[in-house]
Amino acid sequence: MIRVVHYGLGPIGVGVARLIASRKDMQIVGAIDIDPQKVGRDFAELLGRSEPLGVSISGDAQRVLTTSGAQIVVLTTSSSLKRITGQIRQIVECGSSVISTCEELSYPPAGNADRVADLDALAKKHGVAIYGTGVNPGYVMDALPLMLTVPCAEVKRIRVERVVDAGKRRLPLQQKVGAGMTRPQFQQKVDDGSVRHVGLRESATMIANSLGWTLSQYTEQIEPVMAEREVVTPYLTVKPGEVAGVHQIGTGFVDGQALVTLDIAMYVGAQEAHDTIWIEGTPNVQTTIIGGLHGDVATAAIVVNSIPRILSAPPGLWTPNDLPIPHWRRP
Amino acid sequence: MIRVVHYGLGPIGVGVARLIASRKDMQIVGAIDIDPQKVGRDFAELLGRSEPLGVSISGDAQRVLTTSGAQIVVLTTSSSLKRITGQIRQIVECGSSVISTCEELSYPPAGNADRVADLDALAKKHGVAIYGTGVNPGYVMDALPLMLTVPCAEVKRIRVERVVDAGKRRLPLQQKVGAGMTRPQFQQKVDDGSVRHVGLRESATMIANSLGWTLSQYTEQIEPVMAEREVVTPYLTVKPGEVAGVHQIGTGFVDGQALVTLDIAMYVGAQEAHDTIWIEGTPNVQTTIIGGLHGDVATAAIVVNSIPRILSAPPGLWTPNDLPIPHWRRP
């Protein structure tokens, strides 16, 4: 029985916890959030379970971490590694391993080398592991493409294309991609950084470093996808001419050549959602996940399925490229 | 510079060696084969390289293994673990790690538990690693499907379908699949075991064990694929009504349910070759490698790309499910 604490109870944290609550081999032993609306309630309420879990949501992280005996803490509080570094330190110093959906933790060396070295040393000192993952970054735009280079004698270029129907996702995501905005509103949100998928740089860096390519340059462009017809989702309606979502392309250059292209379009009303990976090389490998992976469902599963690998990893801070292939396992 | 010895210089061994000879980070330091036609020649001749390698093919394995200083030996002599056990012992006792395309070594626990435990202990004693891999078993019907369960909250069933155009493969493979035989000739070859793809049981066992499923039964059926029109390959011609190749299905049962189905059809004239993996679960994941992987090319690449992972693995006998994801890396 793996003892798990959940730290950060937004939609992703709740999604992971729902899956863990359904497994016989894992036990939720604590739940931490700062939201006064949540603190004090039984965690089961938030998960929509009729039976109480006997775990009261707490705002006192230190107390939960020191008394729960957690082997692992699922940390889902922020996309910013800088913002969660204090939380990671706190967890590690209490003796628990950390798995986080923080996008910047999935492949952190890009610009965070000192921070990463500190956390790695701290994890080793306390005998625990730190790991960041998720569907993207963490899987479909980095670890899976790497896995698809295995049968290649040579790799010349990698391109991943995701088309996600944001209309099937949670409201915050529909808002995050700008659905329903005007073009100027969208541009303003792009300029202030609030419409942006975090993680393309991390995925591009993980691919390049793993393949022995040194990125000489990395660029990212963000454009709106405009609705051509009215789109109605369970949460909102987008009229023709309004923004339906975002199209974002991260490009990694090696010696001036664009060798890694990560192209993600997330918009309401997207037809034929898919994840397609092209490895240009010897041989070419092209694979498509029909329908694409559902970001929320897949991220929760990837976190849960990675836990056994993290608990059996040596102490330290690891990336998806360091540990054996995770996989689903019957509880 | 990784020092490599090649042991077994048939088509697969030569394919691996060609790729290694082309890499700047690996060096061929020995070549072993029992064929008197090959012994004494410079290995470059066999590889079709104009420049000599300065490596003479030797029939004296012991001498090559003790004098070459190889870090790893590529062992491509047989599909039978029983038949290569002596060769593995010899290599390990000389202090080198082993990577082999022996299908029964890719996931050997099926029926070979004692043999595997002995080899694992021997590897640990000598501080080296033993590893079996290839495209199938080793990748497309086991490790890759496992990797595709990562985003699943639940897995109910796995099916992999390979359709291989044997007309694009080497002559021994075209013969191995029965191309050009009559139906009775084919059946005779099936009965004496010479028409059979080795490895479906290993892949099914690797998938089941990894997912926590206990196989209660495993069955395998082999049928001919009959040519409906004349097929001409670079090596042979198959007339309508003759056997074009083999269709083989391995099925793993858990509690009486067929949960793992591995379906491979290898025949000359196959249209729309592909590798398709279906994960039935939450969510369903379906992915297709368009064109399918070319067995010979992919196996050579998988072996070469796995070498760095093996050399950095702890001592012991490992499977594709034990080590970090291998991937191509620029030499």
Side-chain angles (χ1 to χ4, degrees), chain A residues 12 36 65 81 90 141 163 180 216 262 285 294 303 319:
Chain A
I12 296 290
L65 294 172
L81 179 56
Q90 182 184 31
M141 286 189 142
V163 175
S216 51
L262 306 178
V285 176
H294 187 289
V303 168
T319 78

PDB file of all heavy atoms in Angstrom, chain A residues 12 36 65 81 90 141 163 180 216 262 285 294 303 319:
ATOM      1  N   ILE A  12      -6.338  19.317 -11.854  1.00  0.00           N
ATOM      2  CA  ILE A  12      -5.375  18.239 -12.111  1.00  0.00           C
ATOM      3  C   ILE A  12      -5.135  17.440 -10.825  1.00  0.00           C
ATOM      4  O   ILE A  12      -5.132  16.208 -10.833  1.00  0.00           O
ATOM      5  CB  ILE A  12      -4.043  18.807 -12.650  1.00  0.00           C
ATOM      6  CG1 ILE A  12      -4.260  19.489 -14.007  1.00  0.00           C
ATOM      7  CG2 ILE A  12      -2.997  17.715 -12.758  1.00  0.00           C
ATOM      8  CD1 ILE A  12      -4.572  18.565 -15.152  1.00  0.00           C
ATOM      9  N   PRO A  36      -9.552  28.510   1.373  1.00  0.00           N
ATOM     10  CA  PRO A  36     -10.377  28.394   2.587  1.00  0.00           C
ATOM     11  C   PRO A  36     -11.706  27.681   2.322  1.00  0.00           C
ATOM     12  O   PRO A  36     -12.297  27.105   3.239  1.00  0.00           O
ATOM     13  CB  PRO A  36     -10.633  29.852   3.000  1.00  0.00           C
ATOM     14  CG  PRO A  36      -9.824  30.714   2.112  1.00  0.00           C
ATOM     15  CD  PRO A  36      -9.310  29.910   0.983  1.00  0.00           C
ATOM     16  N   LEU A  65       2.663  16.949   6.200  1.00  0.00           N
ATOM     17  CA  LEU A  65       3.860  16.275   5.699  1.00  0.00           C
ATOM     18  C   LEU A  65       4.625  15.567   6.815  1.00  0.00           C
ATOM     19  O   LEU A  65       5.244  14.526   6.586  1.00  0.00           O
ATOM     20  CB  LEU A  65       4.781  17.288   4.987  1.00  0.00           C
ATOM     21  CG  LEU A  65       4.194  17.894   3.697  1.00  0.00           C
ATOM     22  CD1 LEU A  65       5.082  19.021   3.179  1.00  0.00           C
ATOM     23  CD2 LEU A  65       4.007  16.831   2.621  1.00  0.00           C
ATOM     24  N   LEU A  81       8.597  26.355 -11.917  1.00  0.00           N
ATOM     25  CA  LEU A  81       9.520  25.653 -11.021  1.00  0.00           C
ATOM     26  C   LEU A  81       9.973  26.576  -9.897  1.00  0.00           C
ATOM     27  O   LEU A  81      10.100  26.152  -8.741  1.00  0.00           O
ATOM     28  CB  LEU A  81      10.729  25.138 -11.810  1.00  0.00           C
ATOM     29  CG  LEU A  81      11.787  24.393 -10.991  1.00  0.00           C
ATOM     30  CD1 LEU A  81      11.189  23.224 -10.227  1.00  0.00           C
ATOM     31  CD2 LEU A  81      12.924  23.907 -11.884  1.00  0.00           C
ATOM     32  N   GLN A  90      10.354  21.611   1.129  1.00  0.00           N
ATOM     33  CA  GLN A  90       9.610  21.262   2.338  1.00  0.00           C
ATOM     34  C   GLN A  90       9.248  19.760   2.343  1.00  0.00           C
ATOM     35  O   GLN A  90       9.434  19.060   3.341  1.00  0.00           O
ATOM     36  CB  GLN A  90       8.336  22.113   2.363  1.00  0.00           C
ATOM     37  CG  GLN A  90       7.448  21.929   3.567  1.00  0.00           C
ATOM     38  CD  GLN A  90       6.156  22.752   3.433  1.00  0.00           C
ATOM     39  OE1 GLN A  90       5.661  22.964   2.337  1.00  0.00           O
ATOM     40  NE2 GLN A  90       5.631  23.188   4.571  1.00  0.00           N
ATOM     41  N   MET A 141       5.053  14.609 -26.360  1.00  0.00           N
ATOM     42  CA  MET A 141       5.933  15.423 -27.205  1.00  0.00           C
ATOM     43  C   MET A 141       7.405  15.242 -26.854  1.00  0.00           C
ATOM     44  O   MET A 141       8.252  15.988 -27.374  1.00  0.00           O
ATOM     45  CB  MET A 141       5.540  16.904 -27.118  1.00  0.00           C
ATOM     46  CG  MET A 141       4.255  17.207 -27.886  1.00  0.00           C
ATOM     47  SD  MET A 141       3.935  18.989 -27.994  1.00  0.00           S
ATOM     48  CE  MET A 141       3.273  19.128 -29.671  1.00  0.00           C
ATOM     49  N   VAL A 163      -3.396  18.055 -32.137  1.00  0.00           N
ATOM     50  CA  VAL A 163      -4.613  18.843 -32.316  1.00  0.00           C
ATOM     51  C   VAL A 163      -5.579  18.386 -31.224  1.00  0.00           C
ATOM     52  O   VAL A 163      -5.951  17.209 -31.158  1.00  0.00           O
ATOM     53  CB  VAL A 163      -5.235  18.648 -33.711  1.00  0.00           C
ATOM     54  CG1 VAL A 163      -6.562  19.385 -33.802  1.00  0.00           C
ATOM     55  CG2 VAL A 163      -4.274  19.151 -34.787  1.00  0.00           C
ATOM     56  N   GLY A 180     -13.486  32.327 -27.206  1.00  0.00           N
ATOM     57  CA  GLY A 180     -14.509  33.356 -27.024  1.00  0.00           C
ATOM     58  C   GLY A 180     -13.958  34.767 -27.017  1.00  0.00           C
ATOM     59  O   GLY A 180     -14.726  35.736 -26.985  1.00  0.00           O
ATOM     60  N   SER A 216      20.964  25.490 -30.680  1.00  0.00           N
ATOM     61  CA  SER A 216      21.617  26.795 -30.831  1.00  0.00           C
ATOM     62  C   SER A 216      20.593  27.909 -30.653  1.00  0.00           C
ATOM     63  O   SER A 216      20.928  29.039 -30.323  1.00  0.00           O
ATOM     64  CB  SER A 216      22.263  26.900 -32.213  1.00  0.00           C
ATOM     65  OG  SER A 216      21.331  26.554 -33.230  1.00  0.00           O
ATOM     66  N   LEU A 262       7.580  21.332 -32.491  1.00  0.00           N
ATOM     67  CA  LEU A 262       6.478  20.887 -31.631  1.00  0.00           C
ATOM     68  C   LEU A 262       5.310  21.821 -31.886  1.00  0.00           C
ATOM     69  O   LEU A 262       5.386  23.011 -31.583  1.00  0.00           O
ATOM     70  CB  LEU A 262       6.919  20.914 -30.167  1.00  0.00           C
ATOM     71  CG  LEU A 262       8.200  20.123 -29.868  1.00  0.00           C
ATOM     72  CD1 LEU A 262       8.576  20.258 -28.400  1.00  0.00           C
ATOM     73  CD2 LEU A 262       8.048  18.651 -30.249  1.00  0.00           C
ATOM     74  N   VAL A 285       9.837   7.106 -39.284  1.00  0.00           N
ATOM     75  CA  VAL A 285       8.808   6.478 -38.451  1.00  0.00           C
ATOM     76  C   VAL A 285       7.711   7.510 -38.252  1.00  0.00           C
ATOM     77  O   VAL A 285       7.979   8.619 -37.780  1.00  0.00           O
ATOM     78  CB  VAL A 285       9.365   6.032 -37.081  1.00  0.00           C
ATOM     79  CG1 VAL A 285       8.251   5.473 -36.203  1.00  0.00           C
ATOM     80  CG2 VAL A 285      10.466   5.000 -37.251  1.00  0.00           C
ATOM     81  N   HIS A 294      -6.401  12.629 -24.209  1.00  0.00           N
ATOM     82  CA  HIS A 294      -7.139  13.629 -23.440  1.00  0.00           C
ATOM     83  C   HIS A 294      -6.224  14.132 -22.328  1.00  0.00           C
ATOM     84  O   HIS A 294      -5.833  13.371 -21.446  1.00  0.00           O
ATOM     85  CB  HIS A 294      -8.406  13.011 -22.866  1.00  0.00           C
ATOM     86  CG  HIS A 294      -9.299  14.014 -22.195  1.00  0.00           C
ATOM     87  ND1 HIS A 294      -8.980  14.597 -20.997  1.00  0.00           N
ATOM     88  CD2 HIS A 294     -10.475  14.562 -22.571  1.00  0.00           C
ATOM     89  CE1 HIS A 294      -9.944  15.440 -20.651  1.00  0.00           C
ATOM     90  NE2 HIS A 294     -10.857  15.433 -21.596  1.00  0.00           N
ATOM     91  N   VAL A 303       0.805  10.324 -14.108  1.00  0.00           N
ATOM     92  CA  VAL A 303       1.314  10.546 -12.754  1.00  0.00           C
ATOM     93  C   VAL A 303       1.190   9.259 -11.933  1.00  0.00           C
ATOM     94  O   VAL A 303       2.161   8.792 -11.321  1.00  0.00           O
ATOM     95  CB  VAL A 303       0.560  11.704 -12.073  1.00  0.00           C
ATOM     96  CG1 VAL A 303       0.864  11.741 -10.579  1.00  0.00           C
ATOM     97  CG2 VAL A 303       0.935  13.031 -12.721  1.00  0.00           C
ATOM     98  N   THR A 319      14.333  12.718 -14.721  1.00  0.00           N
ATOM     99  CA  THR A 319      13.442  13.120 -15.813  1.00  0.00           C
ATOM    100  C   THR A 319      12.870  11.850 -16.462  1.00  0.00           C
ATOM    101  O   THR A 319      13.367  10.742 -16.227  1.00  0.00           O
ATOM    102  CB  THR A 319      14.194  13.927 -16.891  1.00  0.00           C
ATOM    103  OG1 THR A 319      14.946  13.014 -17.705  1.00  0.00           O
ATOM    104  CG2 THR A 319      15.123  14.958 -16.276  1.00  0.00           C
TER     105      THR A 319
END
